[in-house]
Amino acid sequence: MALPSAARALRAAVRRCAHPSRPRSTPSAAPRGFSPAAAGTGPRPGPPPPPQGAERDLPPAVDFGDPREAFRSKSNAELLRGLVVLGLCAVEPLVQHNRELCQRVLGQTLFDRLMKMTFYGQFVAGEDQEAIKPLLRRNQAFGVGAVLDYSVEEDLGDGRSHTSAAEKEMGGAEKREKRYRAHQGFGDHHGGVAGAHTYFYADEAKCDQHMETFLHCIDALSGSSDDGFAAIKLTALARPQFLVQFSEVLVKWQRLFHQMAAEQDQAGRAVLDIKLELEKLQVRQVMPRAPCLCKTPARTWLSAPSTVDLLDWNSLFDSRTKLSRPLLIPNRKTGQLEPLLSRFSKEEELQMKRVLQRMDVLAKRAMEKGVRLMVDAEQSYFQPAISHLTVEMQRRFNKSRPIIYSTYQCYLKEAYNNVTRDMELSRREGWLFGTKLVRGAYMEQERERAAQMGYEDPINPTYEKTNEMYHRCLDYVLEEIKHSRKACVMVASHNEETVKFTLRRMMELGIHPSDKKVCFGQLLGMCDQITFPLGQAGFSVYKYVPYGPVNEVLPYLSRRAQENRGFMQRANRERDLLWKEVKRRLLTGNLFSH
């Protein structure tokens, strides 16, 4: 690639973003099977791929303020529905009590019809695999792929899971980390969660059913969306309280590392710059008494005087770790060995194996069908275990192309450390780093739980701090893409400034859209003024596409309405653009022409 030329072209595009009044190319004919009655006008063809070795120019300029381009794919009925739904999302009482009010006033049959005409039609693609295919293909015609999610949820009242014998044993939990205690009101409870799909644990058979659901998502994507993603949640594939317990083990183990770093006067260093001197730790006297840690990799790096960093330290835990054996660590004050956590049961040992087996089945099907897996982030007290299990799968499957994508929530104070840690691990081990960056979906629940249980709020204090964290993490990944080309990132954001920041940094770093290393993502029914101009300009962009029967996706729709309420309070830009496009079509005589 001729980097100076690509940079010049990228600069020109960014300048054109600031001058939306410049003339645009005329629409092309609609693709085969695409009816003008289904949309405002046909898609503009994206730029053809450059011949190998040829100089690459940037695709046409991206203008997020042109309503015609933003809603080119929408029919008149879809425009009007969008106006109505996004307006309703700003009505507080309706959003808070939508299901109770509507069902009581309208009755179930009328309520279902109303939902299909409004919220369901706006935010859900259809009821089953066949019903969603027209939307997936239409979006694909406009350069927009899909992250598919079967959004059926089970509303089990307070969402409490059954308590295992091992957890009852741990009931006197003074020694347990407050953040990682099983709490009857949280765990797999979805109260206060406005922007994420929630599963509930019944038993291992239910986890197998959820795996089958994800397999159906993978199959539905095959042939309908180029290089699409299937979204999966590990709380659907594993017992949530097990994930909480395993997260506590991982966090305590890392905390021991940092305590020893402080004793060696390294507390002020960046996480990955800390190198513990083994000779000072007397680790050889400790480790043989901690049976589950006495495996070959541990002996290898403990066998010679040297140093270890956090990644070496974390490598003691992998899929071969025997969680049911006593895990002992030294108490730094008394010098005595004590359990890192109460003993895991054989049942929980099997649960670890089963979740890895389920992930393995999903990854192999995804590879077979040409689909990628997006492992969603969840609450912070699950996340250490989720991240650990995701990395296990990435090192196995992300060898020639990134099949498994992790997710980082940038409203967490520890987000940057987590991104840099996992990126460095991918460099050392030689696998491809695939990730999605989001701001986060569990803020209210996280803060309520921290307050009730008495631990530090894990969330950044302000929205501005979260923005800073997001851009810092994103810039780190973009720099890696520039230098190694062994990373890929989805910028999952409805924030126009974040998208513009990404485009600018791509320009500065010489990352071309055709490299397919950077993609963008927004929710179905939201921010079309960002998604479709990006797709038409040749950038990789995806809609997060939920599907499922009307009655069974009501919990999802209720939360989506609540999420949109907050979104609409922050900005009215999308609604204003919708109005402008409706007026344009009305004035040109196109509003009633279909």
Side-chain angles (χ1 to χ4, degrees), residues 36-41 71-83 138 578 581-586 588-594:
T41 54
F71 306 113
R72 183 182 291 274
S73 69
K74 302 299 179 187
S75 68
N76 296 328
E78 288 170 333
L79 281 181
L80 295 172
R81 183 188 65 202
L83 272 174
R138 172 151 57 114
L578 278 166
E581 178 60 7
V582 167
K583 292 174 186 175
R584 187 195 68 78
R585 293 189 189 183
L586 182 62
T588 57
N590 292 324
L591 191 61
F592 303 108
S593 61
H594 300 316

Side-chain angles (χ1 to χ4, degrees), residues 242-474:
F242 167 74
L243 294 175
V244 172
Q245 289 172 253
F246 189 36
S247 291
E248 182 180 18
V249 171
L250 296 169
V251 167
K252 277 190 170 181
W253 183 244
Q254 290 183 35
R255 184 164 296 157
L256 175 63
F257 176 87
H258 290 293
Q259 288 171 355
M260 293 188 289
E263 291 174 8
Q264 294 189 14
D265 298 322
Q266 298 190 55
R269 295 187 182 182
V271 173
L272 294 179
D273 290 338
I274 297 173
K275 309 286 184 183
L276 297 184
E277 298 178 42
L278 292 181
E279 287 300 308
K280 294 182 180 179
L281 301 180
Q282 298 181 339
V283 179
R284 290 187 184 82
Q285 285 73 44
V286 175
M287 288 300 178
R289 298 174 62 188
C292 84
L293 297 182
C294 290
K295 45 188 192 158
T296 304
R299 292 199 188 101
T300 299
W301 62 259
L302 292 172
S303 61
S306 62
T307 62
V308 295
D309 64 10
L310 183 61
L311 299 184
D312 299 320
W313 190 256
N314 287 344
S315 70
L316 290 168
F317 285 95
D318 65 16
S319 58
R320 297 168 295 172
T321 300
K322 299 293 183 184
L323 295 178
S324 60
R325 302 179 70 182
L327 180 55
L328 306 176
I329 62 172
N331 183 308
R332 306 305 295 167
K333 293 180 181 178
T334 66
Q336 300 296 311
L337 291 176
E338 60 184 34
L340 186 63
L341 190 65
S342 296
R343 185 176 183 136
F344 279 78
S345 68
K346 290 290 184 183
E347 169 198 347
E348 287 154 335
E349 187 85 49
L350 285 173
Q351 287 175 6
M352 169 70 105
K353 290 181 180 177
R354 287 180 189 136
V355 67
L356 287 167
Q357 288 168 353
R358 292 178 189 119
M359 293 177 75
D360 185 76
V361 169
L362 292 171
K364 286 177 178 175
R365 178 71 67 85
M367 290 185 71
E368 176 190 332
K369 298 289 186 177
V371 172
R372 292 171 288 180
L373 295 183
M374 185 75 74
V375 181
D376 282 340
E378 304 192 48
Q379 290 92 333
S380 64
Y381 39 92
F382 296 138
Q383 199 55 46
I386 290 171
S387 296
H388 183 88
L389 294 169
T390 303
V391 164
E392 285 282 328
M393 301 308 293
Q394 288 179 314
R395 63 162 54 98
R396 288 190 57 199
F397 291 97
N398 286 12
K399 293 180 179 177
S400 59
R401 66 187 294 260
I403 299 294
I404 312 294
Y405 275 58
S406 56
T407 302
Y408 297 91
Q409 299 186 103
C410 295
Y411 68 1
L412 293 176
K413 296 172 183 175
E414 60 195 19
Y416 183 76
N417 286 341
N418 292 340
V419 171
T420 55
R421 176 198 65 207
D422 293 346
M423 178 80 82
E424 176 60 27
L425 184 64
S426 73
R427 291 189 197 109
R428 291 190 191 181
E429 297 183 347
W431 44 270
L432 300 176
F433 183 78
T435 188
K436 175 180 70 172
L437 297 179
V438 300
R439 280 174 170 77
Y442 304 94
M443 184 173 69
E444 291 180 14
Q445 189 191 37
E446 290 276 11
R447 286 186 166 154
E448 180 187 353
R449 190 178 191 273
Q452 285 192 23
M453 299 181 70
Y455 59 86
E456 181 186 352
D457 183 356
I459 307 296
N460 287 317
T462 64
Y463 184 74
E464 289 70 29
K465 287 291 183 184
T466 293
N467 282 346
E468 289 175 17
M469 179 67 78
Y470 193 104
H471 289 186
R472 186 183 183 199
C473 293
L474 174 58

